[in-house]
Amino acid sequence: MNAPDRAAAAPSAGGPAPQLNPAEQAVVDAVLAERRHLAGALLPILHGIQDRLGYVPPGAQPVIARALQLSRAEVHGVVTFYHHFRSEPAGRHVLQVCRAEACQACGGEALLAQARERLGCSEAQPTNAARSHTVEPTYCLGLCAQSPAAMLDGRLHARLTPARLEALLAATGEIA
């Protein structure tokens, strides 16, 4: 079986992949054109799509698999292995709470739980129903000496406390 046949026959994650909308298709095509010829092109392609769309649409996985002559399962495995890749758009504000060892030892897990409860998010549903916030765990923000740490909308925050986290979330202007 050649690679395109493997891609078509590969097990899917819950059935056929949804179709890409025209904007998503344009981004996927552009990133593939730029990066498909790189050595080890899968990760650069996934990063390119995530950087431009904010997520890697499930419908992109078979397209990438065909382009790289990989199985759809191989692409799906990489997308789901790395926490960095999202399969759906994030909320308007993205909070990433560090779960590395130093942050865990200093209360990072409690802050993650606090944020999820406050914003109506969960591990299974990282973006709340209002699509105002996404809460994600991350693994080391490089602030181990100043833990616990988090990143809100791309800005790092160190030595967080429950009160400081609440103030950060309130500053987004989208919580009651």
Side-chain angles (χ1 to χ4, degrees):
M1 183 180 290
N2 65 30
D5 292 339
R6 281 186 303 150
S12 64
Q19 296 294 312
L20 296 171
N21 67 41
E24 292 169 338
Q25 185 69 58
V27 167
V28 170
D29 290 345
V31 171
L32 284 171
E34 291 171 8
R35 301 178 182 191
R36 72 185 294 174
H37 302 293
L38 297 174
L42 181 55
L43 281 174
I45 288 169
L46 294 174
H47 279 283
I49 294 169
Q50 172 101 3
D51 289 347
R52 292 182 192 178
L53 292 175
Y55 63 103
V56 179
Q61 293 177 20
V63 176
I64 296 167
R66 278 191 300 276
L68 298 181
Q69 298 185 353
L70 298 171
S71 74
R72 189 171 151 197
E74 290 171 296
V75 175
H76 178 77
V78 172
V79 170
T80 56
F81 179 78
Y82 292 103
H83 293 268
H84 173 73
F85 297 119
R86 295 185 192 99
S87 60
E88 62 183 47
R92 291 181 293 279
H93 301 282
V94 175
L95 176 68
Q96 295 178 306
V97 180
C98 184
R99 293 183 76 188
E101 288 79 5
C103 286
Q104 281 188 36
C106 293
E109 290 292 320
L111 291 174
L112 179 61
Q114 174 189 344
R116 284 177 170 159
E117 182 177 333
R118 182 72 172 102
L119 299 172
C121 301
S122 68
E123 186 173 349
Q125 293 291 329
T127 300
N128 63 12
R131 306 207 62 77
S132 63
H133 292 85
T134 297
V135 178
E136 302 173 326
T138 190
Y139 298 89
C140 199
L141 293 169
L143 296 172
C144 300
Q146 302 172 35
S147 58
M151 185 162 50
L152 178 62
D153 297 335
R155 186 165 178 205
L156 292 168
H157 300 275
R159 295 191 173 110
L160 285 175
T161 63
R164 289 192 63 219
L165 177 61
E166 180 64 27
L168 281 176
L169 298 177
T172 66
E174 295 200 53
I175 61 171

